[in-house]
Amino acid sequence: MRKSIATVSLSGSLTEKLTAAARAGFDGVEIFENDLLASPLSPEEIRARCADLGLTIDLYQPLRDVEAMPEEEFVRGLRRAERKFDVMRRLGTHTLLVCSNVSPHAVDDDALAAEQLSRLAGLAQESGMRIAYEALAWGRHVSTYDHAWRIVERAAHPALGVCLDSFHILSRGSDPKGTADIPGEKIFFLQLADAPLMAMDVLQWSRHYRCFPGQGGLDVPSLVRHAVNAGYRGPLSLEVFNDVFRQADAGSTAVDALRSLIALEESADISPLPAPAAPTGVAFAEIAAVDPLPVTTLLAALGFRRTGRHTGEPVDLWAQGDARILVNHGTGTRGDGPSLTAIGLETPDPHSAARRAESLLAPVLPRRRGGDDVPLDAVAAPDGTELFFCATRRPGHPDWTADFMAAADLTAASDERRDPSPAGSLTGVDHLALTQPWHHFDEAVLFHRAVLGLRPHESVDLADPYGLFRSRAMTGARGTPRLVLNLAPGPAPGTRTRAQHIALTTDDITAAARRVRAAGAELLKIPANYYDDLDARYEFAPGTLDAYRELGILYDRDEHGGEFHHCYTATVGRVFFEIVQRTGGYRGYGAANAPVRLAAQRR
Amino acid sequence: MRKSIATVSLSGSLTEKLTAAARAGFDGVEIFENDLLASPLSPEEIRARCADLGLTIDLYQPLRDVEAMPEEEFVRGLRRAERKFDVMRRLGTHTLLVCSNVSPHAVDDDALAAEQLSRLAGLAQESGMRIAYEALAWGRHVSTYDHAWRIVERAAHPALGVCLDSFHILSRGSDPKGTADIPGEKIFFLQLADAPLMAMDVLQWSRHYRCFPGQGGLDVPSLVRHAVNAGYRGPLSLEVFNDVFRQADAGSTAVDALRSLIALEESADISPLPAPAAPTGVAFAEIAAVDPLPVTTLLAALGFRRTGRHTGEPVDLWAQGDARILVNHGTGTRGDGPSLTAIGLETPDPHSAARRAESLLAPVLPRRRGGDDVPLDAVAAPDGTELFFCATRRPGHPDWTADFMAAADLTAASDERRDPSPAGSLTGVDHLALTQPWHHFDEAVLFHRAVLGLRPHESVDLADPYGLFRSRAMTGARGTPRLVLNLAPGPAPGTRTRAQHIALTTDDITAAARRVRAAGAELLKIPANYYDDLDARYEFAPGTLDAYRELGILYDRDEHGGEFHHCYTATVGRVFFEIVQRTGGYRGYGAANAPVRLAAQRR
């Protein structure tokens, strides 16, 4: 279906909004009146600009407080409407949105509303226009879509239909099934927005917290399915009022917006996408570091060995158990110290995953590796992280490890033979935590869900000494891979709020911590008060708590008895490492310990 | 009364929090458990630090989910409590806050709750401690203060009392009158927080939106009055969870916090302050400009004349009608171009106003003027603006204008004689708009209300192309002076979001705009689309709208027929001017036009 966006959903001047919508790939726009009023472009110039950009103008919005009014006020409303039809003629658009009346002067009289809307529609028809009547959730007398439809039906004017808005319908808990009773040709327009489920005043909720479909908790696909089944063939159009989008860059918001509609078409069974090939694990994490020594020193202390060297690029492969870390010390890496720039995701069908990602507007990355490289499918996540779809050592698929020459000679041979996996060695990647850019958290969640097929878990707030972090885990169908998306408390500069981390698993946290310390790496110091509290809350086997206290091991227990043990290295550039041991089916990330950990990292 | 603050109300490490509380002048603190756990200081070191800073530790908080539990779990709770009593002994504090149980395992049985709390209190008493039991608004079975008191009364243990929390009581709409039924000695603690009135889930409201008393919509003074009448003699203690304060500088938050308690003591009739001497008008606005030419050129075009020159400082007085603007081109002015650095407020009793301000922690400014200066009472507002309390040409008071030598010779004598007040001349200051620093908006509102005695009006949201501005007018008892506090949409740098403006009145907007244009100053260009819309909404006398269109005059009408006409100059440094004409008792500031104006200023 055609895809549109209301200009109010994007930041900037009208020109910036139109450009962003067109670049993202939208077919049309709704022109929000205030955006037109504030623009120095005449309606004719806006029309020409849209035509140049390949955008149609699908709706002009809104006319307010017009129906069910005392005659004198209604006539003033008609006069206002006539001027708006003139603007619409100049814009070259034909549908005017009329919101249900919120004025204290409005009369609770459906017959009057129908009669006046019919007169308005008559006037519209004379100018070649039509009226889409929408029930605002906080309309004075008309606040549900079925009520609006009863009035439109009663008015029985060919130039009068309804506009269905998913927020107004679903925020009130109305059942969208009733939309099936509306003839498709009387659904003049379909406005779409989602919203997080919040117990709050619906007007404030609508004005500040709407988001794109798939980013909130409303069942937008079901409404769309009903409207399409009823015969609606107009555009799917986004109308989102959101304090964050108002500040965010219009270009990336528009891409996020269009992605939400493409994913919506899939979930509403309108238009299929290449099937998701959800990742099952982490193939590798890549750290870029112009000066790799601080990272490689830390990796060595963590028990990693350099096992491979890329055949064409200055990239080394470090491995331990199933954990693989690439250290890229080539040019073109970022300037603020070592940072996590790429992730390899173990994927059942890398090529299909990449095609799906491309359909969902993920930028496909040029082959980065050297000429002889195995071709790898890769896309960029909204935070710039490069995501490689991998099939490590799986027959019938290109294997990225083939690009690496064995480099076991680079580590002391004696080391190798001593003990292949001593107690406390690290066995794999538990999770990767990525701090998302300010303004783009919901976009990141939608991307990882729709593009990669990961499942978002509940958002949690983590208290940092200087504000709340928002944190949301995304996991694969069987629990792995685990990616944790974090949002720093404010847009303040400084790398501390942009830290990323790689969490590695072990079967023996105490042995692992001792081993790392013995190898010369410092572990994050945790205050004694924390251990006094652990002692007050839990009973430990003799000596256990002393070891935790000595090594800086944090502990959490879930309500089912699952346990989580974890400790942290120092931060190198933007990156630090966590070592974790999970037992008893513990599924979280030790959120209860985050305030203590964050405070310790601030010191 | 003694004044305390919970450490959770301030940002930073525990040491930073304690230091900020002590510097502001608090007598004590509540130690929030997570702050202790995250601190590298031992309880003994925290105790010593507090003693050094002159702070008592008035409460340790909180113990959760302890009462009305199955026996086995209660015993685990007792064990936990014993360890906490040990921590409290080391801290040298005696009162432990116990919040009403939220656990799904809690039993709805007041007798059990009373019996277990009595056992807990017995244990506390053995360690010289006592228990303050508080009903959380979202407690599982106990969520009102009268219910908590019934349980405490039933337990009848000398070491068990209640903690009253204004948020938990008032957020549920409970009547605080019932607190009079609680014997004063059984009110062990009084926690205070306000909150803006919001229709939302009470737990989210409490965790993210609490604010200091006087900054929200709860009747905190009434609760305090009841508690004090009941005989409560403990500290007034602030416990505020607020996403903004978590990020703000702890030092200024602590001052804001203590100011709120001082003002609360006045409104609860506990401790009087020097009576407010609310300002009645604007004596002057002062612009600092190292290079004054762009400002003085604009002032001249606006019809101002330089009428005075300071006797000791490089400050000129520019006047027109009752509007007076000082241009300070001395050293020590700010670097980002001309900015509004000081305001003279016409005040019935300047000396008393300054004494009140000082009692409310406003920094008193050193005499800035030269040696022969008339002594002036002045304080700094939270945004750094210097506020002078003035009695312009009022007998019996020092007159600031006496510092200025007549300088009419500096303007062309012919100009003077031509017409003393031609049509469209400016007659005075309508309002001053000041953009407040990010994180300090509520503080600014409280300051202007409590310190200056101005009345805050409703907050309004203004749509800028790159986010929502929050705007709140503060006015004197008779409507003047009018100060408008604005909050920019984000903490982004750049002077555009830190703009300040001076609005000047005229009796004839069209003549004023023509006059200014004829004098060579540009007025802000307003799009033609805006005027097409005005034409659709209102009927104007012939020619009026054409003139508005030509001159960039904006128009608004309120529901009572009051009218507002306004236009804008270009921005110089951080400052621009607005010319306004009010008729028919219009009280607003043309908020409906703000999106158009802000978009025009962005171009």
Side-chain angles (χ1 to χ4, degrees):
Chain A
M1 295 175 80
R2 301 186 65 256
K3 295 177 190 63
S4 296
I5 186 165
T7 54
V8 73
S9 317
L10 300 170
S11 71
S13 67
L14 183 57
T15 306
E16 289 170 321
K17 291 166 191 245
L18 297 176
T19 306
R23 280 203 188 141
F26 276 97
D27 305 299
V29 291
E30 303 175 27
I31 300 276
F32 183 62
E33 179 156 79
N34 268 349
D35 285 323
L36 178 110
L37 302 191
S39 173
L41 300 183
S42 70
E44 290 81 0
E45 287 167 330
I46 295 168
R47 176 186 196 153
R49 182 71 60 103
C50 286
D52 286 350
L53 290 166
L55 293 170
T56 54
I57 301 179
D58 296 326
L59 188 81
Y60 186 74
Q61 64 136 319
L63 193 67
R64 294 185 192 277
D65 297 344
V66 71
E67 89 288 10
M69 286 294 249
E71 180 64 17
E72 192 187 339
E73 294 186 49
F74 174 66
V75 169
R76 271 205 295 275
L78 277 189
R79 178 177 172 277
R80 215 163 73 227
E82 265 188 305
R83 306 301 176 96
K84 298 304 165 187
F85 295 142
D86 188 50
V87 170
M88 289 168 64
R89 191 186 45 71
R90 297 167 65 195
L91 283 171
T93 186
H94 305 284
T95 307
L96 175 64
L97 178 72
V98 172
C99 297
S100 64
N101 205 320
V102 301
S103 160
H105 304 295
V107 184
D108 186 8
D109 180 344
D110 285 4
L112 181 64
E115 186 258 330
Q116 292 184 341
L117 283 172
S118 177
R119 283 161 68 191
L120 175 66
L123 201 63
Q125 200 174 27
E126 287 171 22
S127 314
M129 309 286 165
R130 58 183 203 163
I131 304 294
Y133 181 56
E134 172 184 86
L136 296 179
W138 52 89
R140 192 155 178 95
H141 303 297
V142 178
S143 56
T144 60
Y145 76 93
D146 45 316
H147 192 178
W149 164 237
R150 283 198 305 277
I151 291 171
V152 166
E153 198 174 21
R154 182 168 192 158
H157 195 288
L160 179 67
V162 294
C163 170
L164 299 179
D165 179 300
S166 64
F167 180 86
H168 290 295
I169 295 172
L170 301 171
S171 67
R172 294 183 53 102
S174 296
D175 188 338
K177 252 191 288 184
T179 52
D181 300 338
I182 309 176
E185 72 277 8
K186 289 304 252 186
I187 305 175
F188 280 8
F189 213 75
L190 185 55
Q191 286 184 318
L192 301 173
D194 200 344
L197 299 180
M198 298 170 90
M200 74 181 297
D201 173 65
V202 71
L203 179 59
Q204 293 305 316
W205 189 23
S206 172
R207 285 204 179 150
H208 302 286
Y209 298 99
R210 287 187 181 206
C211 54
F212 297 126
Q215 296 179 347
L218 304 181
D219 187 0
V220 184
S222 152
L223 175 72
V224 171
R225 216 178 283 121
H226 283 295
V228 171
N229 286 347
Y232 176 71
R233 293 296 174 267
L236 300 177
S237 190
L238 295 165
E239 192 203 27
V240 166
F241 306 87
N242 180 296
D243 289 357
V244 174
F245 297 165
R246 282 180 187 278
Q247 296 175 51
D249 168 67
S252 61
T253 306
V255 171
D256 179 31
L258 190 61
R259 177 180 301 130
S260 81
L261 285 184
I262 297 169
L264 176 66
E265 282 194 317
E266 181 188 41
S267 25
D269 309 313
I270 293 169
S271 180
L273 291 174
T280 55
V282 174
F284 64 82
E286 176 168 333
I287 295 172
V290 177
D291 170 13
L293 193 62
V295 170
T296 54
T297 305
L298 189 51
L299 285 173
L302 283 163
F304 281 82
R305 290 189 311 122
R306 181 148 64 131
T307 61
R309 172 186 279 173
H310 196 274
T311 50
E313 304 269 333
V315 178
D316 291 333
L317 169 60
W318 290 71
Q320 181 176 196
D322 292 332
R324 300 177 204 95
I325 292 173
L326 305 186
V327 178
N328 186 336
H329 47 96
T331 54
T333 54
R334 296 178 196 168
D336 50 0
S339 55
L340 182 56
T341 52
I343 298 173
L345 293 166
E346 216 52 76
T347 309
D349 182 346
H351 188 59
S352 159
R355 280 194 310 128
R356 178 179 176 83
E358 194 172 0
S359 310
L360 283 159
L361 311 179
V364 173
L365 296 174
R367 307 274 172 240
R368 265 185 351 160
R369 309 293 179 200
D372 296 341
D373 272 22
V374 168
L376 270 181
D377 292 294
V379 297
D383 66 355
T385 304
E386 300 177 359
L387 300 175
F388 288 81
F389 299 111
C390 304
T392 311
R393 293 180 195 126
R394 233 172 311 142
H397 290 282
D399 181 7
W400 64 274
T401 61
D403 292 341
F404 289 84
M405 227 166 41
D409 58 323
L410 296 167
T411 55
S414 58
D415 258 16
E416 243 184 306
R417 257 171 268 128
R418 215 187 287 149
D419 185 353
S421 56
S425 60
L426 307 182
T427 53
V429 171
D430 184 84
H431 63 274
L432 300 171
L434 301 163
T435 300
Q436 298 301 302
W438 188 245
H439 293 154
H440 297 283
F441 194 74
D442 287 338
E443 177 183 355
V445 172
L446 178 63
F447 179 93
H448 287 85
R449 185 177 67 70
V451 174
L452 303 184
L454 298 179
R455 185 169 71 88
H457 297 254
E458 284 297 295
S459 270
V460 292
D461 287 330
L462 309 178
D464 176 84
Y466 302 98
L468 292 179
F469 269 88
R470 190 169 149 206
S471 181
R472 194 159 190 186
M474 313 278 309
T475 60
R478 296 193 189 152
T480 55
R482 299 183 187 94
L483 299 185
V484 177
L485 306 181
N486 290 324
L487 183 68
T495 54
R496 277 197 294 196
T497 55
R498 296 188 294 118
Q500 309 156 320
H501 82 265
I502 300 173
L504 302 160
T505 49
T506 180
D507 297 329
D508 184 341
I509 188 76
T510 311
R514 285 202 199 288
R515 199 161 155 262
V516 171
R517 266 226 317 219
E522 271 196 62
L523 293 173
L524 188 69
K525 282 192 185 52
I526 302 299
N529 298 331
Y530 170 81
Y531 295 98
D532 292 345
D533 180 60
L534 274 192
D535 192 28
R537 292 194 289 137
Y538 305 110
E539 292 183 68
F540 292 91
T544 303
L545 202 54
D546 292 336
Y548 290 2
R549 197 186 285 266
E550 175 203 341
L551 295 162
I553 294 169
L554 297 148
Y555 176 81
D556 190 31
R557 187 186 296 176
D558 67 23
E559 52 189 355
H560 310 294
E563 293 180 305
F564 191 62
H565 311 73
H566 52 145
C567 60
Y568 295 87
T569 69
T571 304
V572 174
R574 292 178 60 190
V575 184
F576 62 91
F577 294 87
E578 180 181 4
I579 305 175
V580 316
Q581 181 185 2
R582 292 172 185 271
T583 56
Y586 181 97
R587 291 189 178 189
Y589 300 84
N593 296 324
V596 170
R597 185 260 295 179
L598 288 163
Q601 289 180 319
R602 292 284 194 174
R603 282 191 288 269
Chain B
M1 295 174 80
R2 302 186 65 256
K3 295 175 190 65
S4 296
I5 186 165
T7 53
V8 73
S9 316
L10 300 170
S11 71
S13 67
L14 182 57
T15 307
E16 288 170 322
K17 291 166 191 245
L18 297 176
T19 306
R23 281 205 187 140
F26 276 97
D27 304 301
V29 290
E30 303 176 26
I31 300 276
F32 183 62
E33 179 156 78
N34 269 349
D35 285 323
L36 178 111
L37 302 192
S39 173
L41 301 182
S42 70
E44 290 81 1
E45 287 167 331
I46 295 169
R47 176 186 196 153
R49 181 70 60 101
C50 286
D52 286 350
L53 290 166
L55 293 170
T56 54
I57 301 178
D58 295 325
L59 189 80
Y60 186 72
Q61 64 135 321
L63 192 66
R64 294 185 192 276
D65 298 343
V66 70
E67 89 288 10
M69 287 294 249
E71 180 65 15
E72 192 187 338
E73 295 186 49
F74 175 67
V75 169
R76 272 205 295 275
L78 277 189
R79 177 177 173 278
R80 215 163 74 226
E82 265 189 304
R83 306 300 175 96
K84 298 303 164 188
F85 294 143
D86 187 52
V87 170
M88 290 168 63
R89 190 187 45 69
R90 296 167 65 194
L91 282 171
T93 186
H94 305 285
T95 307
L96 175 64
L97 178 72
V98 172
C99 297
S100 65
N101 205 320
V102 300
S103 159
H105 304 296
V107 183
D108 186 8
D109 180 344
D110 284 6
L112 181 65
E115 186 258 330
Q116 291 183 341
L117 283 172
S118 176
R119 282 162 68 191
L120 176 65
L123 201 63
Q125 200 174 25
E126 286 171 22
S127 316
M129 308 287 165
R130 58 183 204 161
I131 304 294
Y133 180 56
E134 172 184 85
L136 297 179
W138 53 88
R140 192 157 177 92
H141 302 297
V142 178
S143 56
T144 60
Y145 76 92
D146 46 316
H147 191 177
W149 164 237
R150 282 200 306 278
I151 290 171
V152 166
E153 197 174 21
R154 183 167 191 159
H157 194 289
L160 179 68
V162 292
C163 170
L164 299 180
D165 179 300
S166 64
F167 180 86
H168 290 296
I169 295 172
L170 301 170
S171 67
R172 294 183 53 103
S174 296
D175 188 338
K177 250 191 291 185
T179 52
D181 301 337
I182 309 175
E185 73 276 8
K186 289 303 250 187
I187 305 176
F188 280 8
F189 212 74
L190 185 55
Q191 286 183 319
L192 301 173
D194 200 344
L197 299 180
M198 299 170 89
M200 72 181 298
D201 172 66
V202 70
L203 178 60
Q204 293 305 317
W205 189 22
S206 171
R207 285 203 178 150
H208 301 287
Y209 298 100
R210 287 188 182 206
C211 54
F212 296 127
Q215 295 179 347
L218 304 181
D219 187 1
V220 183
S222 152
L223 174 72
V224 170
R225 217 178 283 122
H226 283 296
V228 170
N229 288 346
Y232 176 71
R233 294 296 175 266
L236 300 177
S237 191
L238 295 165
E239 192 203 29
V240 166
F241 306 88
N242 180 298
D243 288 357
V244 174
F245 297 165
R246 281 180 188 277
Q247 295 177 51
D249 168 67
S252 61
T253 306
V255 170
D256 179 31
L258 189 62
R259 177 179 301 130
S260 81
L261 284 184
I262 297 168
L264 176 66
E265 281 194 320
E266 181 188 41
S267 27
D269 309 313
I270 293 168
S271 181
L273 291 174
T280 55
V282 173
F284 65 82
E286 177 169 332
I287 295 172
V290 177
D291 170 13
L293 193 63
V295 170
T296 56
T297 304
L298 189 51
L299 285 173
L302 285 164
F304 280 82
R305 291 189 313 122
R306 180 150 63 133
T307 61
R309 172 186 278 173
H310 196 275
T311 51
E313 305 269 332
V315 178
D316 290 334
L317 169 60
W318 290 72
Q320 180 175 195
D322 292 332
R324 299 179 204 93
I325 291 172
L326 306 186
V327 178
N328 186 336
H329 47 95
T331 55
T333 54
R334 295 176 196 172
D336 51 1
S339 55
L340 181 56
T341 51
I343 297 173
L345 293 166
E346 216 53 75
T347 309
D349 183 345
H351 189 59
S352 159
R355 280 194 309 127
R356 178 179 176 82
E358 194 172 1
S359 310
L360 283 158
L361 312 179
V364 173
L365 296 174
R367 306 273 173 240
R368 265 184 351 158
R369 309 292 180 203
D372 296 341
D373 273 19
V374 168
L376 271 181
D377 292 295
V379 297
D383 65 356
T385 304
E386 300 178 357
L387 301 174
F388 288 81
F389 299 110
C390 304
T392 312
R393 293 178 195 130
R394 233 171 312 141
H397 290 283
D399 182 7
W400 64 275
T401 61
D403 293 341
F404 288 84
M405 226 163 46
D409 57 323
L410 297 167
T411 57
S414 59
D415 257 17
E416 244 183 307
R417 259 171 267 130
R418 215 188 288 150
D419 185 352
S421 56
S425 60
L426 307 182
T427 53
V429 171
D430 184 83
H431 64 274
L432 301 170
L434 302 163
T435 299
Q436 299 301 302
W438 189 245
H439 292 152
H440 297 282
F441 193 74
D442 287 339
E443 176 182 355
V445 173
L446 178 63
F447 180 93
H448 287 86
R449 186 177 66 70
V451 174
L452 303 184
L454 298 179
R455 185 169 73 88
H457 298 254
E458 284 297 295
S459 269
V460 292
D461 287 330
L462 309 178
D464 176 84
Y466 303 98
L468 293 179
F469 268 87
R470 192 170 148 202
S471 179
R472 195 160 189 186
M474 314 277 311
T475 59
R478 295 191 193 154
T480 57
R482 298 183 188 93
L483 299 185
V484 177
L485 307 180
N486 290 324
L487 183 67
T495 54
R496 278 198 293 196
T497 55
R498 295 188 294 118
Q500 310 157 320
H501 82 263
I502 301 174
L504 302 160
T505 50
T506 180
D507 298 329
D508 185 340
I509 188 76
T510 311
R514 284 203 199 289
R515 199 161 155 262
V516 170
R517 266 229 314 222
E522 272 196 62
L523 293 172
L524 188 70
K525 282 192 184 53
I526 302 299
N529 298 331
Y530 170 81
Y531 295 98
D532 292 345
D533 181 60
L534 273 192
D535 192 28
R537 291 194 290 138
Y538 306 110
E539 291 184 68
F540 292 91
T544 303
L545 202 54
D546 292 337
Y548 290 2
R549 198 187 283 266
E550 176 203 339
L551 296 162
I553 293 168
L554 297 148
Y555 175 81
D556 189 31
R557 188 186 295 176
D558 67 22
E559 53 190 354
H560 311 294
E563 293 179 303
F564 191 62
H565 311 73
H566 53 147
C567 60
Y568 296 87
T569 69
T571 304
V572 174
R574 292 178 59 191
V575 184
F576 62 91
F577 293 87
E578 180 181 5
I579 306 175
V580 316
Q581 182 186 0
R582 292 173 185 272
T583 56
Y586 182 97
R587 292 190 176 186
Y589 300 84
N593 295 325
V596 171
R597 186 259 297 179
L598 288 163
Q601 289 181 319
R602 291 285 193 174
R603 281 191 289 269

